Amino acid sequence: MNRTFIGSAREHERSLASLAGGVATAIRAAQRPVPVSFVGGSGPRLTDIDGNEYVDFALAYGPMLLGHSPAAVIEAVHRQLDRGLGYGASHPIEPALAEAVCRTVPSAELCAFSNTGSEAVHAAIRIARAATGRRRVIKFQGHYHGWLDPLHIGVGASLDPREPGTAGQDPQASASIDVCAWNDVDALRQLLDSEVAAVIMEPVAVNRGCLSPAPGYLEAVQELTSAAGALLIFDEVITGFRLALGGAQQRLGVTPDMTILGKAMGGGFPISAVCGRADVMSEVASGRVSHMGTFNANPICGAAALAAIETYERNAEEIYPGLDEAGFALASAYREAAAAAGVPLQVNQLGAAGYAYVATQPVSSYEDTLTADPGAYVRLSELLLEEGIHVIPRGILYTSTTHTDREVKELEGALDRAMGRLASELASQEAPSALHDDEGQSGQPAS
Ligand SMILES: Cc1ncc(COP(=O)(O)O)c(C=O)c1O
């Protein structure tokens, strides 16, 4: 297939003159041959400025669980556009949306809305500290909770768990954060004491390998956390509404004290939530913890989120088995094409989330992820782009409710060709990681 990226290259060049780095969020710079400039999206497909079409398995880094043009979301937003963009005041969508969250997410008894996952994480930590009267927070190595200073440590490909995610971070901001090994009950036991306000985790570590918790691990964390008088927070920004209607907590059967939602919650619009036990969230209800934001639950994003959640809810019996099937088909296509071409590839997948690594050994821990060759995967994503498949260069794989057998078939054909090319390139390299000098995943795990 002969695809050119001339228009994207021109747009990127133009952006570099006025947009710092030429991209709006750092991770997008990893795309090769250039950050693609898209002009349209519909269902599971995207079109770029050069007229190239792609089957999309990146889904805007997760939000487009209903595909790129979900009718119910778009109609709800159109209706609201005619009634005003924002009031900076209460409106009927707010309680309807809060009720929808409380109906669908097992841990949600009360909720509060923000605009992005990072903000909602920040709010959750503040609420947990107020509710417990304690300061320390335990996070896990490789888990990503947004770009704000305090929790943006221990996120990249480093064995130093306290390494800041970026230059410019204030190390003091993370002084009360401990970084713990995940899936290791003893490590957590050693860190937990009467000063810990909260333990926060991705219940399935999608950002670093789509790693699942070991059997019994979440239950053990819950027991230890509760015994220490601390709160358990699940960051379900990725897994919420994606792994089940009620998120990973419902799928895995462990209900945390608090939950953070974002991405798929908005059906493509920027909105997030922190929700949880009524006695904990009463810190916000009483006004003791101030929860603020000009755009919080604005009616446009609120209408989108309400329509998205109602769609998940109404169609849950078809949507979630379908998402599991599509996710499994995607992972199988990757595995089969890699095996046929002789590319050492590992794929972890749970429902509509997955992660692929070019690595010789199975990837089931944070340490295992460090054995992978991220440059080779970036190259695979470039080869796939040329074949009409759009994936996140770092390795996360997403499917939506709009992916069908047809998209999987296209993926299979593309993978056969791309893996074949990658295999010969790897064979001709002395060191596979020399494929690219940059890695696309070294420091920043998320969007
Ligand atoms: C698990 C998790 N938490 C929090 C965030 C931050 O969300 P946002 O990018 O909306 O600030 C992300 C973003 O990818 C995420 O994956």
Side-chain angles (χ1 to χ4, degrees):
M1 218 172 283
N2 265 337
R3 280 165 189 263
T4 61
F5 301 94
I6 294 165
S8 285
R10 194 179 51 233
E11 287 302 303
H12 186 55
E13 198 55 37
R14 172 185 163 197
S15 300
L16 284 167
S18 56
L19 178 64
V23 288
T25 176
I27 198 81
R28 291 182 202 157
Q31 190 162 48
R32 296 290 176 271
V34 284
V36 178
S37 185
F38 291 105
V39 294
S42 176
R45 289 166 194 272
L46 289 172
T47 307
D48 75 13
I49 198 164
D50 291 287
N52 301 313
E53 295 199 353
Y54 306 89
V55 178
D56 182 30
F57 294 98
L59 297 172
Y61 286 81
M64 308 302 175
L65 186 59
L66 295 168
H68 286 280
S69 48
V73 173
I74 292 170
E75 279 161 24
V77 169
H78 273 154
R79 269 197 306 277
Q80 183 55 40
L81 284 172
D82 290 335
R83 296 173 185 160
L85 306 184
Y87 312 121
S90 297
H91 52 86
I93 293 170
E94 284 176 333
L97 180 58
E99 285 158 12
V101 170
C102 292
R103 245 188 351 255
T104 51
V105 179
S107 62
E109 292 175 357
L110 278 178
C111 55
F113 297 112
S114 298
N115 305 289
T116 65
S118 301
E119 279 177 273
V121 166
H122 215 57
I125 299 296
R126 183 183 280 181
I127 295 165
R129 285 182 171 139
T132 57
R134 303 171 175 187
R135 213 152 58 91
R136 276 179 54 218
V137 170
I138 298 176
K139 78 166 290 262
F140 294 91
Q141 193 160 21
H143 292 213
Y144 178 74
H145 302 294
W147 62 271
L148 295 170
D149 276 13
L151 290 177
H152 196 34
I153 58 172
V155 290
S158 163
L159 280 175
D160 174 5
R162 299 204 63 80
E163 186 169 294
T166 169
Q169 265 178 255
D170 176 4
Q172 275 307 315
S174 308
S176 56
I177 311 292
D178 289 313
V179 183
C180 185
W182 194 60
N183 256 339
D184 181 338
V185 177
D186 285 336
L188 181 64
R189 190 179 283 117
Q190 279 168 26
L191 282 175
L192 268 169
D193 61 26
S194 60
E195 288 175 8
V196 175
V199 173
I200 182 169
M201 70 160 78
E202 293 182 58
V204 176
V206 180
N207 273 305
R208 194 94 203 157
C210 197
L211 307 177
S212 286
Y217 177 68
L218 294 183
E219 289 82 353
V221 170
Q222 186 176 45
E223 206 177 303
L224 285 175
T225 305
S226 156
L231 298 172
L232 178 59
I233 306 175
F234 279 180
D235 180 345
E236 297 230 41
V237 167
I238 289 179
T239 52
F241 302 106
R242 175 169 285 281
L243 294 191
L245 178 62
Q249 58 196 267
Q250 185 177 60
R251 187 170 183 133
L252 303 174
V254 173
T255 304
D257 301 301
M258 299 174 81
T259 300
I260 298 146
L261 301 163
K263 296 204 191 252
M265 175 187 158
F269 282 73
I271 185 164
S272 60
V274 48
C275 53
R277 271 171 35 194
D279 60 324
V280 174
M281 293 299 295
S282 70
E283 293 294 335
V284 177
S286 69
R288 218 170 77 86
V289 167
S290 61
H291 175 70
M292 292 177 286
T294 303
F295 291 109
N296 285 357
N298 70 78
I300 302 293
C301 297
L306 182 58
I309 296 175
E310 286 178 349
T311 304
Y312 303 139
E313 212 179 355
R314 208 174 33 250
N315 305 301
E317 283 184 18
E318 292 149 45
I319 282 183
Y320 292 99
L323 284 170
D324 279 11
E325 233 174 81
F328 182 77
L330 168 68
S332 304
Y334 258 75
R335 289 190 188 110
E336 282 161 25
V343 170
L345 193 95
Q346 311 295 330
V347 188
N348 296 330
Q349 171 256 334
L350 186 64
Y355 209 118
Y357 282 109
V358 177
T360 51
Q361 299 298 319
V363 175
S364 54
S365 70
Y366 176 79
E367 285 71 25
D368 292 342
T369 68
L370 303 179
T371 67
D373 182 347
Y377 192 83
V378 173
R379 177 63 182 146
L380 177 63
S381 73
E382 178 178 357
L383 293 168
L384 283 172
L385 206 61
E386 288 171 14
E387 297 287 345
I389 302 291
H390 181 237
V391 295
I392 295 172
R394 198 161 57 81
I396 297 188
L397 295 165
Y398 288 127
T399 39
S400 76
T401 57
T402 58
H403 286 86
T404 64
D405 290 350
R406 184 175 153 212
E407 281 72 37
V408 173
K409 278 264 162 309
E410 283 179 50
L411 173 68
E412 286 168 353
L415 276 168
D416 279 346
R417 294 183 290 274
M419 289 284 185
R421 286 178 67 188
L422 183 67
S424 42
E425 291 180 20
L426 287 171
S428 67
Q429 304 287 328
E430 270 188 24
S433 58
L435 273 177
H436 267 290
D437 347 337
D438 63 323
E439 295 191 325
Q441 75 159 23
S442 55
Q444 308 300 320
S447 55

